[in-house]
Amino acid sequence: MVQRKGWQLPSIRLLSTTPAAQPAVTPPREGPAVVDCALYSAGIRQPGERTVKELLEAAQTTADAFVWIGLHEPTEAEMAEVAEVFDLHPLAVEDALSDEQGPKLERYEDTMFLVVRAASYVEHTELTETSEVVETGSVRMFVGEKFVVTVRHGSIGGLKAVRADLEAHQDLLTQGPWAVVHAICDRVVDVYLQIAAAFQRDLDFVETQVLRREAGSTIGQIYQLKRELVEFRGAVLPLQQPLTTILDHRTLKLTKEIRRYFRDVNDHNNRVVDRIAGYDDLLNSLLQARLAQVTVDQNNDMRKIASWAAMAALQTAFAGIYGMNFKYMPELEWRYGYPGLLIIMLITTVLLYRYLRRAGWL
């Protein structure tokens, strides 16, 4: 792709290089928003150097052809030029530029607008109260009869590998633009499964600490996992409705073959949803168990304090009685009265200590 200081849609040309030769886009984005653009006919990427508008015109005059253009964090001006070429609805364009968009599927005349949230697992050597476990991004797709426009936000969810895999399987690309949508959704949901497996390891680690009553098991760690799980669930759970709509043949007229592929994606996504529900229940149980342990530890501490206070109060009682300076006191004139009283105080303290030990207070 030709690099230019300013991005002008008519100047975007398709080179006859393979996807592997395209330069990678790394955040923050520099240069054109267009990551890649190609015309596919009969499942084969067509070589040549043409503008996006020319590619779309060629697709419209060929029975089994479509255009796939990929954008990464486009500006309003860049997105407006793409919208003009593909006749995209202004409301959908506005949603494509919005930072906060949840998974959804909407129809704008002959164009479908699909939003999915990509996610990735953040590797960490130690789980702390501030560890970031899940990072999310977003992929928005405009799907028409002869085109698919993908708009990616965030540093994750790159589609270069998806494009390369599709181009290696021409039989899938012959299914048209919805084959691209399936490949993206399939890759996103496969990553969901990997995140769920990695999340399970973190849960096992915290569970082990809680059951062993280790000092490193803090309520803050559990709350951090719950926060990360909420973010992960926000990507996975809302995707159920768009996938269900895609599978409904009354809403979208897709081929039986491509619908079969989407059914597999939906099954995988439902598996992740079920695992998230289980993780949430487990975290709630761990939180309750940890809080119960804290309560028990506090009660034990209070009983120990009360036990030592009882022994101190007993000695205080003896000292208080014999410190009243009454004239007539038991054994007041006895020569060994003072050491005898000390012995009595010591014996009563030992007996009280042994009683409290047997009662489990010390």
Side-chain angles (χ1 to χ4, degrees):
M1 187 176 298
V2 180
Q3 299 290 335
R4 293 177 173 83
K5 295 181 179 179
W7 187 79
Q8 298 295 328
L9 188 63
S11 299
I12 300 176
R13 295 189 175 273
L14 176 67
L15 303 182
S16 57
T17 56
T18 60
Q22 298 295 330
V25 179
T26 57
R29 180 178 67 80
E30 297 180 358
V34 178
V35 179
D36 200 354
C37 181
L39 171 67
Y40 297 92
S41 179
I44 302 175
R45 179 171 179 151
Q46 300 301 305
E49 193 170 319
R50 288 174 284 183
T51 65
V52 175
K53 187 174 182 180
E54 292 171 346
L55 292 175
L56 182 59
E57 292 174 350
Q60 291 172 340
T61 56
T62 306
D64 55 354
F66 70 93
V67 177
W68 178 9
I69 177 173
L71 307 174
H72 180 221
E73 296 183 351
T75 63
E76 291 186 12
E78 293 166 341
M79 194 65 210
E81 295 188 47
V82 173
E84 182 179 358
V85 172
F86 293 97
D87 192 23
L88 305 179
H89 196 280
L91 291 178
V93 173
E94 182 180 349
D95 288 344
L97 293 172
S98 175
D99 293 334
E100 297 296 333
Q101 277 295 323
K104 64 178 182 178
L105 177 65
E106 295 180 344
R107 178 188 291 275
Y108 293 92
E109 298 177 352
D110 296 331
T111 301
M112 301 299 295
F113 178 63
L114 174 64
V115 179
V116 298
R117 292 186 64 184
S120 69
Y121 180 78
V122 180
E123 295 291 344
H124 46 271
T125 57
E126 181 181 1
L127 181 64
T128 66
E129 298 178 4
T130 58
S131 295
E132 186 177 5
V133 179
V134 178
E135 182 182 2
T136 59
S138 180
V139 181
R140 296 95 188 267
M141 290 168 271
F142 297 89
V143 189
E145 184 180 359
K146 290 293 183 178
F147 67 88
V148 55
V149 178
T150 57
V151 182
R152 183 167 62 90
H153 289 265
S155 59
I156 64 174
L159 304 179
K160 183 177 180 180
V162 175
R163 189 185 290 264
D165 290 343
L166 273 175
E167 292 178 355
H169 296 82
Q170 298 176 5
D171 55 327
L172 294 179
L173 277 175
T174 57
Q175 300 293 325
W178 283 99
V180 176
V181 178
H182 161 263
I184 295 173
C185 292
D186 186 56
R187 180 62 59 89
V188 167
V189 174
D190 283 346
V191 176
Y192 288 169
L193 288 170
Q194 297 172 11
I195 295 174
F199 212 97
Q200 179 68 62
R201 294 194 294 269
D202 285 333
L203 281 175
D204 292 341
F205 172 75
V206 173
E207 183 180 19
T208 301
Q209 285 190 312
V210 170
L211 295 179
R212 292 180 179 176
R213 301 174 66 89
E214 295 183 4
S217 175
T218 65
I219 295 177
Q221 287 178 324
I222 301 176
Y223 270 118
Q224 178 63 15
L225 280 181
K226 284 185 70 67
R227 285 194 295 267
E228 295 298 310
L229 187 63
V230 167
E231 183 177 1
F232 186 34
R233 181 169 50 196
V236 178
L237 195 60
L239 186 58
Q240 285 183 304
Q241 184 59 44
L243 290 176
T244 301
T245 304
I246 291 174
L247 291 174
D248 183 7
H249 65 276
R250 293 171 298 180
T251 304
L252 289 175
K253 303 300 181 181
L254 302 180
T255 63
K256 184 178 180 180
E257 182 68 16
I258 197 66
R259 187 174 284 110
R260 184 180 293 115
Y261 281 103
F262 273 108
R263 188 177 296 111
D264 180 68
V265 174
N266 187 52
D267 291 342
H268 290 175
N269 190 73
N270 288 337
R271 284 170 51 191
V272 180
V273 170
D274 292 339
R275 296 183 70 174
I276 289 177
Y279 294 162
D280 191 47
D281 292 340
L282 179 58
L283 281 173
N284 289 332
S285 299
L286 290 176
L287 182 59
Q288 293 175 1
R290 192 68 187 99
L291 290 174
Q293 290 175 355
V294 171
T295 302
V296 170
D297 292 340
Q298 290 177 343
N299 289 337
N300 290 335
D301 292 340
M302 291 301 299
R303 289 196 299 180
K304 291 178 181 180
I305 294 173
S307 299
W308 290 109
M311 288 185 285
L314 181 62
Q315 313 311 313
T316 302
F318 281 111
I321 292 172
Y322 278 87
M324 293 181 181
N325 295 323
F326 290 124
K327 183 175 181 180
Y328 300 101
M329 296 286 291
E331 310 300 338
L332 188 63
E333 300 297 332
W334 185 37
R335 178 178 180 181
Y336 300 105
Y338 176 70
L341 180 61
L342 293 179
I343 293 174
I344 292 174
M345 293 171 63
L346 178 61
I347 292 175
T348 54
T349 301
V350 172
L351 292 176
L352 181 59
Y353 176 81
R354 288 172 61 87
Y355 172 77
L356 293 173
R357 281 285 285 190
R358 290 177 181 178
W361 283 52
L362 286 174

